[in-house]
């Protein structure tokens, strides 16, 4: 187990190479996929090095073969909760080192007093689903083995040993919230786990389906929106197995075609954070209603006047206000 450099996270960004044939799919300004399989991701978000700030410090560590995480450790907290976090990006872009996530999770760690383990999972289309789910479950299993299990010899083990084994949470935003859902469901369906999850926090979860919802059809997004309908469709096209529709249960967890019957799965309390101007609004609210009908404990917070990923984009004064509210709500959920 060793400290990794920020450079290890930059494998996903390369130069545009015109020698890879025609472009077969793309999201302009974000990702371009070539005929020979080469993928170019635009460096649209600055990456942040680990820092030591007032109230929290961060470090990157390898946790499995090719899998790493950024840890945020608050100062002077006795028996903190552990929050395992998955970043957004439509399964195709994003990094645990992105500056927007570094700033958001640093603030969340200070406000909640919990240790945060932000997982840098594999990306599609090079690694289509279920690669991200497998990485998420590996990260959860790796952490569970270390929570409350002795001091350990390296920093992650020492940090996790300090955590309260009765307060382990999963969380994520957008595609990361989708990952958190599927890791939660897999964990709940496998008997014999050493500990139960205390809760799961889903921020604007990236779900889909073949029939369009009202918000998908009628919520007009500005040109700089983090998620338009066309962008959503492209992400799913790149992430799902070939010839899959958006009714695949990885996209639509309430699909009747799902081999996993959620009503039979033990799920923890769930907090779902929904944005009023997000095209996913109706999809996310429908997910909450579906789980409630199954008898699951679901709490919903709706944030007015903001769109998808507002908490990491901060592109308006309203977004900044709503971000502080979201951080407070998540912290209260963790510490309730």
């Amino acid at each position: 187990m060793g400290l990794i450099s920020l450079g290890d996270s930059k494998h996903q960004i390369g130069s545009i190479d015109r020698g890879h044939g025609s472009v077969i799919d793309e999201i302009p300004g974000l990702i371009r996929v070539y005929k020979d399989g080469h993928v170019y991701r635009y460096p649209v978000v600055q990456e942040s090095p680990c820092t030591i700030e007032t109230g929290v410090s961060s470090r990157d560590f390898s946790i499995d073969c090719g899998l790493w995480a950024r840890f945020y450790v608050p100062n002077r907290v006795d028996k903190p909760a552990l929050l395992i976090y998955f970043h957004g990006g439509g399964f195709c872009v994003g990094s645990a080192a992105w500056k927007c996530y570094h700033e958001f999770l640093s603030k969340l760690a200070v406000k909640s007093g919990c240790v945060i383990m932000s997982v840098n999972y594999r990306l599609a289309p090079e690694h289509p689903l279920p690669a991200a789910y497998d990485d998420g479950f590996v990260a959860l299993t790796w952490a569970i083995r270390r929570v409350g299990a002795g001091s350990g010899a390296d920093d992650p083990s020492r940090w996790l040993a300090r955590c309260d084994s009765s307060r382990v949470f999963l969380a994520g935003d957008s595609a990361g919230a989708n990952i958190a859902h599927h890791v939660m469901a897999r964990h709940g369906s496998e008997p014999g786990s050493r500990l139960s999850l205390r809760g799961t926090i889903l921020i604007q979860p990236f779900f889909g389906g073949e029939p369009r919802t009202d918000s998908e059809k009628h919520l007009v997004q500005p040109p700089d929106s983090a998620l338009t309908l066309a962008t959503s469709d492209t992400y799913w096209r790149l992430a799902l197995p070939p010839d899959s529709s958006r009714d695949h249960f990885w996209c639509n967890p309430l699909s009747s075609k799902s081999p996993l019957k959620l009503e039979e799965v033990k799920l923890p309390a769930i907090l779902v954070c929904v944005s009023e101007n997000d095209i996913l609004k109706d999809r996310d609210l429908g997910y909450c209603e579906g789980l409630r009908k199954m008898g699951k404990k679901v709490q919903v917070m709706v944030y007015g006047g903001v769109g998808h990923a507002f908490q990491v984009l901060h592109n308006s004064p309203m977004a900044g206000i709503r971000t502080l509210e979201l951080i407070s709500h998540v912290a209260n959920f963790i510490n309730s």
Side-chain angles (χ1 to χ4, degrees):
M1 190 73 57
L3 184 68
I4 69 172
S5 68
L6 184 59
D8 293 340
S9 69
K10 293 185 177 179
H11 68 279
Q12 62 179 297
I13 298 176
S15 60
I16 296 179
D17 189 338
R18 304 299 182 186
H20 293 284
S22 59
V23 175
I24 61 171
D25 217 336
E26 72 174 319
I27 299 173
L30 279 177
I31 186 171
R32 177 175 286 178
V33 183
Y34 289 85
K35 187 175 181 179
D36 70 349
H38 178 74
V39 178
Y40 174 75
R41 293 178 176 85
Y42 294 77
V44 292
V45 179
Q46 180 183 351
E47 294 190 343
S48 175
C50 297
T51 58
I52 299 176
E53 303 175 12
T54 303
V56 66
S57 60
S58 61
R59 294 183 75 183
D60 293 343
F61 278 89
S62 299
I63 62 175
D64 197 79
C65 297
L67 185 63
W68 63 272
R70 177 163 293 187
F71 288 81
Y72 298 85
V73 184
N75 300 336
R76 298 181 298 276
V77 177
D78 185 41
K79 299 291 287 183
L82 171 64
L83 181 71
I84 301 172
Y85 195 92
F86 305 103
H87 67 78
F91 303 105
C92 298
V93 299
S95 168
W98 270 11
K99 188 172 185 289
C100 55
Y101 282 105
H102 183 81
E103 294 174 347
F104 173 67
L105 294 178
S106 292
K107 293 174 183 176
L108 180 58
V110 171
K111 180 69 175 180
S112 65
C114 67
V115 170
I116 298 177
M117 174 180 163
S118 179
V119 181
N120 200 72
Y121 53 87
R122 289 173 292 169
L123 299 176
E126 303 96 319
H127 305 283
L129 296 175
Y133 303 145
D134 292 341
D135 287 352
F137 196 76
V138 166
L140 173 62
T141 303
W142 182 90
I144 284 175
R145 288 201 303 265
R146 288 162 175 78
V147 170
S151 62
D154 53 50
D155 284 341
S157 292
R158 286 199 296 268
W159 297 331
L160 296 177
R162 287 171 42 205
C163 292
D164 185 343
S165 61
S166 68
R167 294 198 299 144
V168 177
F169 295 81
L170 290 173
D173 67 286
S174 194
N178 178 298
I179 295 170
H181 163 84
H182 285 286
V183 173
M184 167 186 70
R186 179 174 170 182
H187 178 79
S189 65
E190 293 192 356
S193 174
R194 193 174 71 83
L195 56 81
S196 297
L197 292 172
R198 180 71 168 268
T200 298
I201 300 142
L202 307 181
I203 302 172
Q204 304 135 358
F206 185 45
F207 297 136
E210 283 300 316
R212 302 296 194 188
T213 65
D214 284 346
S215 60
E216 288 171 338
K217 291 186 292 186
H218 302 304
L219 271 180
V220 178
Q221 299 297 293
D224 61 348
S225 172
L227 190 69
T228 64
L229 198 56
T231 299
S232 172
D233 288 348
T234 303
Y235 280 143
W236 284 119
R237 192 164 58 244
L238 294 176
L240 288 171
D243 301 321
S244 297
S245 76
R246 291 189 308 274
D247 275 333
H248 193 291
F249 78 100
W250 291 338
C251 180
N252 181 2
L254 300 182
S255 171
S256 60
K257 302 176 183 178
S258 174
L260 187 64
K261 305 305 178 185
L262 287 176
E263 59 269 19
E264 301 173 2
V265 176
K266 180 182 178 182
L267 299 181
I270 301 170
L271 171 65
V272 181
C273 300
V274 180
S275 297
E276 181 185 32
N277 298 336
D278 187 356
I279 62 170
L280 298 178
K281 177 180 67 174
D282 291 348
R283 188 78 58 188
D284 294 345
L285 293 174
Y287 166 84
C288 296
E289 182 62 25
L291 289 189
R292 282 173 170 164
K293 288 180 178 178
M294 298 176 193
K296 311 304 181 184
K297 184 178 179 181
V298 182
Q299 178 182 346
V300 182
M301 301 300 302
V302 178
Y303 298 89
V306 288
H308 194 77
F310 72 86
Q311 75 285 351
V312 289
L313 294 181
H314 299 296
N315 54 3
S316 71
M318 178 65 73
I321 294 170
R322 294 291 182 256
T323 297
L324 294 178
E325 293 175 355
L326 184 147
I327 288 175
S328 179
H329 294 153
V330 172
N332 290 339
F333 180 80
I334 291 170
N335 292 309
S336 62

